[in-house]
Structure formats: C-alpha cells, structure tokens
Amino acid sequence: MRVPAEVALEGGESDCRNRTLHELFLLIGQGERAGSGVPKIHQGWAAQGHSLSLFDSTEPFEQTVMTLTWGASDEETTQETTQETAKKFSQKQREILAYLKSHPTANRKELAENMDGITENGIKYNLKVLQEQGWIVRIGSTKAGYWEVKE
C-alpha cells in the first residue's frame, strides 16, 4: 500500500520498494528507521530557507513526486502550482472522462471492458481521483444513477 504524500512528510510510515536492500543497509549500519528520510529532507531543506512539496501522481506509474524549490516561495505561488498539478490527468483518466461524456450511465465493469490496459480496480481508483478533484460527480444511486462530467 502506498503512503500518501501528506503522510510521507509527517514520517513514521514507509513504502519500502526493496526490503532486502533495506535490511542489508540496516545490517551494515548504514540504514535508518523506515519512514524517516522524507521528513529529514523536508526539515533540512526548510532550514535553508527553501521549500519542498510532494504530490501523488499516477503517470507514468503510481508514485509520489518531490519538488524542491530554491529560496522561499510565497504561499500564493505554491497554491497555484498545486492547483495546476491537480488539473493534470493521466492518459487513463482522460480516456475515462471521454467515455463518460458519451456514456454517462457507464459503470466500472463497462468502463474496464471498453478500455485497454486497465482493470475494474484501476477504474475504481481513477474514478475516485477524478471525483476528489471535482471533475466528475455521481448523480443518483449506484445502479440507476449517471456520471456528470465537469468542464
């Protein structure tokens, strides 16, 4: 299970991609406790008057992207950048939006059957992301409702 960007900044949780390598570094005394790296980077970067931001991305694969900015950034610029980032879609999300525009009553199964390279679980995840970002709204019940795509 992936650790969301906001949790990564707080520390304490880790999504170790190579547990064997992590254990090897611990054995030779070069490793740290899991989940301590990102908060240390954030604190060190901030102590120098710079900013660090993290955001979750699904393109080209599920990942957390770290952006380091030299110099203090004003809050307005950071907010604009965050909003622009939120507006970006993965290719699959664009395909889902296009399909829902012409087939608003489509369910997850129908979407998965009509799109290449994505499972029903992948559809579920991307629908959730699109809903959270305000690009689609479910009107009515799960069975009898439809999707409204926002422009």
Side-chain angles (χ1 to χ4, degrees):
M1 182 175 162
R2 290 192 68 262
V3 177
E6 62 273 4
V7 173
L9 278 175
E10 295 169 8
E13 288 195 46
S14 180
D15 184 16
C16 185
R17 300 204 192 281
N18 188 330
R19 296 196 190 293
T20 304
L21 190 58
H22 181 246
E23 289 174 15
L24 175 67
F25 276 102
L26 288 174
L27 282 173
I28 62 172
Q30 296 298 312
E32 296 182 347
R33 82 175 168 81
S36 64
V38 173
K40 284 183 181 177
I41 293 169
H42 184 256
Q43 291 166 357
W45 201 249
Q48 298 298 315
H50 308 300
S51 68
L52 174 143
S53 61
L54 298 177
F55 67 93
D56 293 321
S57 172
T58 57
E59 271 300 312
F61 50 84
E62 199 169 343
Q63 61 187 328
T64 298
V65 178
M66 180 183 298
T67 305
L68 303 172
T69 307
W70 291 98
S73 65
D74 65 309
E75 190 174 317
E76 188 175 292
T77 303
T78 303
Q79 185 177 6
E80 287 174 14
T81 304
T82 303
Q83 288 172 350
E84 287 301 314
T85 301
K87 291 180 183 178
K88 294 181 182 176
F89 306 115
S90 71
Q91 179 61 34
K92 290 298 177 198
Q93 289 167 348
R94 282 190 283 275
E95 291 175 23
I96 290 170
L97 287 171
Y99 192 87
L100 290 177
K101 282 182 182 178
S102 57
H103 303 90
T105 59
N107 59 26
R108 290 190 305 235
K109 183 177 180 182
E110 180 183 339
L111 283 162
E113 289 172 352
N114 288 285
M115 296 177 67
D116 292 329
I118 190 164
T119 65
E120 236 180 286
N121 282 337
I123 295 290
K124 180 180 178 181
Y125 170 80
N126 283 291
L127 287 173
K128 180 181 175 203
V129 170
L130 291 168
Q131 283 180 295
E132 288 171 353
Q133 292 180 356
W135 291 106
I136 58 173
V137 175
R138 184 70 183 180
I139 308 294
S141 69
T142 304
K143 295 203 183 254
Y146 63 95
W147 291 103
E148 182 178 289
V149 179
K150 304 290 183 177
E151 293 297 326

